[in-house]
Amino acid sequence: MLDDTLKTQLQTYLGMLRQPIRLIASLDNSDNAAKMRELLQEITALSDKVTLDESGDDARKPSFVIAKEGETHGVRFAAIPLGHEFTSLVLALLWTGGHPPKVEQDVLDQIKALDSDLNFEVYMSLSCHNCPDVVQATTLMTVFNPRINVTVIDGGLYQDEVNERNIMAVPATFLNGEMFASGRMLVEEFLAKVDTGAVAKEAEKLNAKESFDVLVVGGGPAGASAAIYAARKGIRTGIVADRFGGQVNDTLAIENFISVKETEGPKLVAALEEHVKTYEVDIMPLQRAVGLSEPKQADHKHGGLIEVKLESGAILRSKSVILATGARWRNLNVPGEAEYKNKGVAYCPHCDGPLFKGKHVAVVGGGNSGVEAAIDLAGVVGHVTLLQFDTELKADAVLQRKLRTLENVTILTSAQTTEITGDGTRVNGLTYTDRVSGESKHVALEGVFIQIGLVPNTDWLKGTLDLSKYGEIEINNHNATSLPGVFAAGDVTTIPYKQIVIAMGEGSNAALGAFDYLIRQ
């Protein structure tokens, strides 16, 4: 199961175990059980602190628990955790074996203080790049609190279970048998939902912070770049973000980032965060901004302070602000889209594609993201129908050539999607209008992946500063907005091209503009 490189890496990690652990396997006679047994045997062969016990009798077969020696409580994998989940497997082994996690002590204390029985079930796919965060968050909680359990379930391995529960998007998390959350979540977000006092405590801590010289709102490429450039000027810098990395977290292949031939979104996000942390930047994650005030007079020599209000109720103050809130997936806004979201309507082909193995799906959108999604899905699903509103595809020529070589892809141009249909529980088709003939047509299918571009995250700024007719923040050559002391950068602004490398340049320009503003006050 593991190649020589992975075995060498894993053996190094297992050398960090501080106490013995046991792998308790529940196996049957299936091919997947044989593969799981092979993986577990390979792991135990790499460390004398790991033993294999095949006496498990869990209802889910094949599966295995990683437990401390002499115990049965631990993290259960109803999966063969390779692919994107190999890191999750390694961390589960290390944490169970006593190796300390790289999280704040406050987080561990909060986990240990939870005093209710929590039974998580996390459905994932091995190709999902958002799933490991959820798996690792619930793993951490399970390892450090005996009243918490998690079972990590590969949707591709347990397809019947996925169908029975109508799971059509991953990661999907159930708590005590009920749907708890859909999508990427960090451990702090889990704690905020299960520990009712966590939000108020965090808001109190944020309210007590001193004012910043530069406060960056948003943690994508533009926000990270702005924070680095500001911090290098030696001024007090903070960055507040809903999630670090923004849309880049949802991007798989990146092949146009100059000097890096090929990388993946999550890897780039990790590198961005690591770079930011090398400077004295106050990072405040999992916080959503909901309001922005004009500068208010303060009793110090630098004059007014701008206030940023957060969803938690906290208020942060700064002499200057850089808005880098990015953009989100654009909705079709047709009947059935909202009703069947996560029930066949999806926006992440890499995450959710494996759940539609062998099925007929549609991709709406003929730009780079749409064509890349169709190519990706064609290797997993039975058939892909790509619908493009315009008369021709807009994707790069190299992508179009690849797409047209795939036998299980149908391309429909001049096709206006008008409705996504379903049976009340899941998608069963899509209706579109042929813009040449005017005829309405219907395609029977089981999934719709929407890839029609982005919408700037500026709803919270309406009426505060000048926005374009598309809702983008209007900026000048210094990235200044219409509000004194407030700058903006990246996909949220009126720059015409929405690219990672451009957003980074814009972030640095905004930071330099903010610094120039500060020294002139």
Side-chain angles (χ1 to χ4, degrees):
M1 295 297 293
L2 301 176
D3 60 30
D4 290 341
T5 301
L6 284 179
K7 285 182 179 179
T8 300
Q9 292 176 353
L10 184 56
Q11 188 169 33
T12 300
Y13 289 129
L14 293 177
M16 302 176 187
L17 297 178
R18 299 182 179 183
Q19 60 192 30
I21 60 177
R22 188 161 54 119
L23 309 179
I24 308 171
S26 298
L27 304 173
D28 52 21
N29 296 320
S30 66
D31 290 341
N32 285 321
K35 292 177 182 178
M36 183 175 289
R37 178 184 286 109
E38 181 183 353
L39 173 63
L40 300 180
Q41 288 174 340
E42 289 179 352
I43 294 172
T44 56
L46 297 174
S47 173
D48 58 6
K49 283 190 170 67
V50 184
T51 57
L52 175 59
D53 176 355
E54 295 189 24
S55 66
D57 193 29
D58 190 75
R60 287 191 180 94
K61 295 182 178 66
S63 67
F64 67 96
V65 170
I66 301 175
K68 297 175 183 177
E69 185 60 53
E71 299 182 11
T72 57
H73 169 266
V75 180
R76 178 175 295 279
F77 284 94
I80 302 172
L82 300 176
H84 283 291
E85 292 300 341
F86 182 68
T87 299
S88 301
L89 170 64
V90 172
L91 291 175
L93 292 166
L94 287 175
W95 294 341
T96 304
H99 188 75
K102 293 182 179 180
V103 297
E104 298 292 333
Q105 186 60 44
D106 287 350
V107 173
L108 290 180
D109 291 341
Q110 192 176 354
I111 291 172
K112 294 174 182 178
L114 293 173
D115 60 355
S116 57
D117 295 322
L118 305 175
N119 182 28
F120 290 103
E121 295 167 291
V122 177
Y123 290 86
M124 56 79 177
S125 71
L126 298 180
S127 61
C128 169
H129 53 277
N130 284 327
C131 294
D133 286 322
V134 176
V135 173
Q136 290 162 28
T138 49
T139 294
L140 185 70
M141 295 170 70
T142 298
V143 171
F144 284 89
N145 189 321
R147 298 188 65 177
I148 300 175
N149 291 279
V150 63
T151 301
V152 179
I153 306 158
D154 180 359
L157 199 61
Y158 286 86
Q159 194 73 50
D160 291 343
E161 197 170 320
V162 164
N163 291 334
E164 182 181 343
R165 279 183 153 173
N166 282 324
I167 298 169
M168 307 191 77
V170 291
T173 305
F174 285 72
L175 174 59
N176 298 335
E178 301 293 331
M179 187 65 185
F180 176 76
S182 178
R184 178 178 183 263
M185 289 179 69
L186 301 178
V187 66
E188 293 87 351
E189 293 173 279
F190 275 95
L191 292 173
K193 290 193 70 171
V194 299
D195 184 354
T196 55
V199 174
K201 294 174 186 175
E202 185 62 23
E204 186 177 346
K205 288 169 58 179
L206 293 173
N207 275 328
K209 287 184 179 290
E210 295 181 8
S211 63
F212 295 93
D213 293 313
V214 173
L215 177 64
V216 181
V217 183
S225 175
I228 290 170
Y229 265 72
R232 284 175 61 86
K233 293 295 184 181
I235 56 181
R236 179 166 161 73
T237 304
I239 182 168
V240 59
D242 186 18
R243 62 170 178 161
F244 206 96
Q247 281 287 329
V248 180
N249 284 296
D250 303 324
T251 304
L252 198 57
I254 299 173
E255 300 176 345
N256 58 358
F257 187 68
I258 311 306
S259 82
V260 179
K261 186 177 179 181
E262 183 177 353
T263 187
E264 295 180 349
K267 290 183 180 178
L268 180 57
V269 169
L272 284 174
E273 189 168 8
E274 183 180 359
H275 194 177
V276 171
K277 287 180 176 178
T278 61
Y279 295 94
E280 292 186 10
V281 177
D282 188 346
I283 301 175
M284 296 160 279
L286 308 177
Q287 298 293 330
R288 185 188 298 272
V290 296
L292 179 72
S293 75
E294 293 189 21
K296 294 185 177 181
Q297 200 65 32
D299 57 355
H300 55 72
K301 62 182 180 180
H302 295 294
L305 290 176
I306 301 162
E307 292 186 348
V308 175
K309 184 176 181 181
L310 306 179
E311 192 173 53
S312 64
I315 294 177
L316 299 173
R317 297 167 179 83
S318 183
K319 298 169 189 174
S320 66
V321 170
I322 298 174
L323 303 172
T325 48
R328 62 188 183 276
W329 295 116
R330 183 183 299 276
N331 292 324
L332 275 171
N333 293 319
V334 299
E337 179 183 16
E339 180 182 356
Y340 292 107
K341 184 177 180 181
N342 296 330
K343 299 177 182 178
V345 173
Y347 301 85
C348 181
H350 313 298
C351 300
D352 303 330
L355 301 179
F356 295 86
K357 185 177 180 179
K359 298 178 181 179
H360 184 181
V361 304
V363 173
V364 181
N368 280 350
S369 60
V371 172
E372 286 174 347
I375 293 170
D376 187 46
L377 288 166
V380 178
V381 305
H383 192 88
V384 180
T385 298
L386 186 145
L387 297 96
Q388 163 71 331
F389 180 85
D390 210 339
T391 56
E392 59 184 19
L393 301 181
K394 298 298 183 182
D396 294 342
V398 64
L399 293 175
Q400 292 193 44
R401 286 196 296 270
K402 172 65 176 176
L403 181 71
R404 296 181 192 281
T405 66
L406 303 175
E407 296 183 356
N408 63 335
V409 175
T410 299
I411 302 171
L412 301 176
T413 56
S414 299
Q416 180 180 359
T417 302
T418 56
E419 184 180 7
I420 297 171
T421 61
D423 62 6
T425 59
R426 59 176 63 199
V427 166
N428 63 15
L430 178 148
T431 302
Y432 71 96
T433 298
D434 185 324
R435 296 178 59 238
V436 176
S437 67
E439 183 182 357
S440 179
K441 300 181 179 181
H442 186 78
V443 181
L445 42 78
E446 294 166 278
V448 179
F449 290 82
I450 299 170
Q451 302 281 298
I452 57 171
L454 303 170
V455 178
N457 292 316
T458 55
D459 292 343
W460 64 289
L461 295 169
K462 290 178 180 177
T464 303
L465 42 69
D466 291 346
L467 304 176
S468 72
K469 63 180 180 180
Y470 301 110
E472 300 165 321
I473 301 174
E474 294 185 347
I475 56 174
N476 64 16
N477 291 339
H478 295 275
N479 287 74
T481 72
S482 60
L483 201 62
V486 178
F487 298 77
D491 291 359
V492 75
T493 72
T494 50
I495 58 166
Y497 304 112
K498 316 299 186 184
Q499 298 289 315
I500 294 171
V501 68
I502 293 175
M504 287 182 172
E506 289 290 300
S508 60
N509 199 57
L512 295 173
F515 182 71
D516 184 68
Y517 166 82
L518 290 172
I519 63 177
R520 293 175 186 275
Q521 296 305 302

